[in-house]
Amino acid sequence: MFVLGIETSCDETGASVVKDGNEVMSDTVASSLEFHKRYGGVVPEIATRYHLEVIDYVVKDSLRSAGITLKDIDLVAVTQGPGLVGALLVGISFAKSLSYSLGIPVVGVNHLWAHIYSGFIGRPNVKFPIMGLVVSGGHTSLVLCEDIGKFRLLGQTRDDAIGEAFDKVAKILGLGYPGGPAIENAARRGDPEAVRFTPPYLGDDSYDFSFSGMKTAVLYHVKGRKLTAAMTADIAASFQKAAIGAIVEKAISACASKGIGRLVVGGGVSANMLLRKELAAAGVNNGVQVIFPPMRFSIDNGAMIASTGYLLYKKGKKSGLTLTAEPNLGI
Ligand code: KG4
Ligand code: ZN
């Protein structure tokens, strides 16, 4: 069974062909990132127009790379939400048109579920339960997954998402957009012990996160100072250490208290090497197997949508032509 996955929730236009839920035949991603940089963040109108311009080419490229044609596709899976409404509608309209004209089913996929599932792409026999951790530009969520589609939100950020905090701190430090890779890069030359940034205490039994206080602490720390490259690197390293530390601590303690032995991590921030290193180490120390997606599936992509769509379809989910964007879709 060939599944075409389409992803257009933010600034990446992704299309991928996945065979029988476990073989990624192609994975094409085009990004409008360059066009957003000068504005310091994603501009929804620019992202939407870019999707419209390239989606046809991206889908054609993924079919060509997979060595198949449209007629071979058995199912179209598309991101339903959360995301930018105009951007989502481009992918959804395209997917529904394919479904209608080819006479094949379409299935809407929750982008957050797909990020969690991205650690299992190419390995469809997932053994549940698992703990899911989504760390992206819009979300920081800890999710107990009992089965595919049976997800329970344990905790989430009360203010900024972790990726958003990286982006805002990078802006304060003049490091540009996107902030995550920029902070990670600057941090390599800095001392993580130079400045103490601490996450707020949110209660012993809370799995929530909060990052806006740390971001404001960075703002006050740099206020009135002329930053040298060395000072910037120290602040980047110190912020990164504190923010990642908060994630690692909450994720591992959630696994321990719920008795879950496997943690899967997805979303753009899962590309961060310090997060990967620290979570892996904490996992070893606490008997938790930590699973990360390959780097290319950390960022938004069509393969995670196709793979998750396949599993949902196998469970009996079909969306039909009334499928529409759900920009605020939760877990
Ligand atoms: O999952 P994603 O591609 O899009 C959303 O669904 O939000 O995540 C984008 C976020 C951005 O905030 C970006 O700064 C962050 O992921 N990010 C990183 C790294 N690479 C991307 N954050 C920290 N370290 C990185 N290496
Ligand atoms: Zn995402």
Side-chain angles (χ1 to χ4, degrees):
M1 180 179 196
F2 289 111
V3 184
L4 172 68
I6 295 176
E7 154 63 37
T8 62
S9 67
C10 192
D11 56 338
E12 270 96 19
T13 317
S16 163
V17 176
V18 174
K19 188 180 173 196
D20 298 329
N22 61 15
E23 194 183 335
V24 180
M25 312 277 294
S26 65
D27 177 40
T28 305
V29 179
S31 175
S32 55
L33 182 68
E34 279 306 313
F35 305 109
H36 302 288
K37 275 186 176 164
R38 81 172 101 149
Y39 302 104
V42 173
V43 182
E45 185 68 19
I46 294 176
T48 304
R49 283 170 188 267
Y50 182 85
H51 289 311
L52 266 179
E53 275 174 35
V54 305
I55 190 158
D56 191 35
Y57 300 104
V58 169
V59 168
K60 276 185 185 145
D61 184 78
S62 81
L63 292 171
R64 194 172 36 237
S65 310
I68 62 167
T69 68
L70 270 183
K71 288 194 211 75
D72 299 312
I73 297 293
D74 300 295
L75 172 71
V76 192
V78 63
T79 304
Q80 183 173 9
L84 306 169
V85 65
L88 289 165
L89 282 171
V90 175
I92 292 172
S93 307
F94 201 90
K96 287 200 294 187
S97 312
L98 287 178
S99 160
Y100 182 68
S101 56
L102 297 169
I104 56 172
V106 59
V107 61
V109 174
N110 183 323
H111 185 84
L112 302 176
W113 295 4
H115 267 313
I116 292 173
Y117 189 73
S118 62
F120 295 109
I121 293 175
R123 291 187 283 165
N125 299 320
V126 186
K127 295 217 170 29
F128 291 95
I130 50 174
M131 188 67 73
L133 171 65
V134 182
V135 279
S136 72
H139 294 84
T140 314
S141 312
L142 260 174
V143 186
L144 185 58
C145 316
E146 279 152 14
D147 197 353
I148 185 74
K150 221 174 146 202
F151 293 174
R152 186 152 60 88
L153 184 67
L154 292 182
Q156 61 187 332
T157 184
R158 294 187 184 177
D159 37 62
D160 293 344
I162 172 110
E164 186 182 0
F166 268 84
D167 293 337
K168 287 178 176 170
V169 167
K171 200 168 187 176
I172 294 168
L173 297 178
L175 292 172
Y177 179 84
I183 296 259
E184 183 169 21
N185 229 339
R188 288 202 182 95
R189 298 178 294 278
D191 173 8
E193 309 297 334
V195 194
R196 204 173 153 79
F197 298 116
T198 31
Y201 175 69
L202 300 174
D204 279 342
D205 46 9
S206 166
Y207 298 114
D208 282 350
F209 302 89
S210 167
F211 298 103
S212 76
M214 265 191 266
K215 168 202 68 191
T216 309
V218 173
L219 187 65
Y220 281 125
H221 184 79
V222 305
K223 211 170 171 189
R225 293 184 197 214
K226 188 151 172 40
L227 291 184
T228 62
M231 286 160 78
T232 301
D234 282 349
I235 297 166
S238 302
F239 166 76
Q240 178 177 247
K241 180 178 177 252
I244 297 291
I247 298 269
V248 172
E249 201 246 280
K250 279 278 161 66
I252 295 293
S253 73
C255 290
S257 66
K258 300 286 175 193
I260 306 284
R262 288 197 308 164
L263 172 71
V264 285
V265 192
V269 184
S270 70
N272 185 282
M273 289 315 294
L274 185 70
L275 177 69
R276 286 183 175 237
K277 207 174 111 211
E278 299 273 308
L279 258 186
V284 169
N285 290 338
N286 291 276
V288 176
Q289 183 193 5
V290 183
I291 300 163
F292 282 97
M295 280 294 193
R296 71 188 170 114
F297 296 141
S298 280
I299 58 154
D300 292 348
N301 64 86
M304 68 182 191
I305 304 301
S307 304
T308 311
Y310 172 84
L311 290 181
L312 290 171
Y313 182 72
K314 286 281 161 195
K315 288 241 160 216
K317 183 175 175 186
K318 263 199 250 177
S319 296
L321 297 179
T322 52
L323 177 68
T324 192
E326 291 200 35
N328 300 317
L329 189 62
I331 278 291

